[in-house]
Amino acid sequence: MTALRLPILWLAGLLGLAGCSMNQPVSLYQLDSGTPAQPAQSTGMAVLLGPVLIADYLQRETLLQRQPDGSLQAATDGRWAGSLSSDIDQLLLRQVAGHLDSQRVVLAPATQGFTPDVQVLLSITRLDSGKAQPAVLDAQWRLIDRRGKVRENRIVHLQEQHAGTTAAQVQAQGVLLQRLAEQLSVSLKPLANQPPVAEVPRKPAPAPAKPMEKEKDKIPMALPIRTDMEVFRF
């Protein structure tokens, strides 16, 4: 009986260990928004933030880890708590509004009737880190003024060191986005005092055409011809 019981106990132990490893809790992470100032001006600079485009590999709940060879692997001890894209939008919105002290910073698409002083077209092509790799952010923005003119086009590369844990990596990525928002706000401030767009004067409406005169009015009237000649009959 003892010889038959040992393999059964050994198999049960393996199954128990496998069950414990599968039931390990996975931590959920959100980006660190920092402590942005609460904007007080309701009539501050009007900014349309977006569209904000992020790389395809970031549009998932999986938290990716950058490896020393440059490859990416899914983290086994954590994932994003919801949409990373939405977290990035909200972090940038709060940070930019705080730096500009304006309640008039909105995410694209804007509501009807909102006329921005400037629109920010932002693209984030990289945002990741690894246990032995720093957090890296690559982005590009374009600023469009009231007249539709591109006022600035900038490519940004930022790095942030961390302690190596997953929590430290997420915190470092949040810090990078905060630094991005700060640099973006510095570029936006000079565009707050743009001259108003002059309205193009409307051309006066053409006068209505006169009705066509009747044909008989156009025919000159025959006038009698007077003569002093006398007619003699024989």
Side-chain angles (χ1 to χ4, degrees):
M1 294 294 292
T2 303
L4 294 175
R5 188 178 300 170
L6 286 176
I8 297 175
L9 293 175
W10 177 74
L11 180 60
L14 287 179
L15 293 174
L17 291 175
C20 292
S21 61
M22 293 179 62
N23 294 328
Q24 288 181 352
V26 177
S27 300
L28 303 179
Y29 293 96
Q30 284 185 309
L31 292 170
D32 183 10
S33 299
T35 54
Q38 179 65 27
Q41 294 189 57
S42 58
T43 59
M45 184 178 184
V47 177
L48 179 60
L49 185 57
V52 179
L53 305 178
I54 67 173
D56 291 341
Y57 80 95
L58 297 173
Q59 299 180 23
R60 62 188 70 195
E61 294 183 1
T62 306
L63 202 162
L64 300 175
Q65 298 277 280
R66 180 72 64 173
Q67 304 302 309
D69 62 358
S71 62
L72 293 167
Q73 293 184 6
T76 58
D77 59 345
R79 62 182 178 85
W80 295 112
S83 170
L84 177 60
S85 177
S86 179
D87 280 357
I88 292 175
D89 287 348
Q90 292 300 322
L91 187 155
L92 294 175
L93 174 68
R94 294 180 179 276
Q95 285 285 333
V96 172
H99 285 297
L100 298 179
D101 189 21
S102 173
Q103 293 278 3
R104 303 176 66 202
V105 180
V106 301
L107 291 170
T111 57
Q112 187 176 5
F114 181 79
T115 303
D117 297 318
V118 60
Q119 180 179 6
V120 180
L121 304 179
L122 179 63
S123 175
I124 296 177
T125 56
R126 179 178 176 183
L127 179 63
D128 56 60
S129 57
K131 292 182 179 180
Q133 306 296 318
V136 176
L137 169 65
D138 288 334
Q140 179 182 14
W141 73 61
R142 284 191 301 164
L143 305 184
I144 313 297
D145 66 9
R146 293 177 181 174
R147 295 171 174 81
K149 181 181 178 181
V150 178
R151 300 294 295 271
E152 183 176 279
N153 183 31
R154 182 179 299 186
I155 298 175
V156 181
H157 175 81
L158 303 172
Q159 290 190 14
E160 183 74 16
Q161 298 295 332
H162 54 79
T165 64
T166 303
Q169 293 179 53
V170 173
Q171 184 178 16
Q173 293 180 27
V175 170
L176 289 179
L177 288 166
Q178 295 173 37
R179 289 168 55 189
L180 175 68
E182 182 179 5
Q183 293 186 17
L184 176 59
S185 300
V186 172
S187 296
L188 284 171
K189 286 181 180 179
L191 302 179
N193 300 317
Q194 299 178 56
V197 179
E199 294 185 0
V200 179
R202 296 182 179 180
K203 295 182 178 180
K210 294 182 178 180
M212 296 182 61
E213 297 180 350
K214 295 181 180 180
E215 292 295 332
K216 66 179 183 179
D217 295 337
K218 295 182 180 180
I219 301 176
M221 296 180 62
L223 297 176
I225 300 176
R226 299 183 61 185
T227 177
D228 293 334
M229 294 181 63
E230 294 182 359
V231 178
F232 295 91
R233 295 181 180 179
F234 296 91

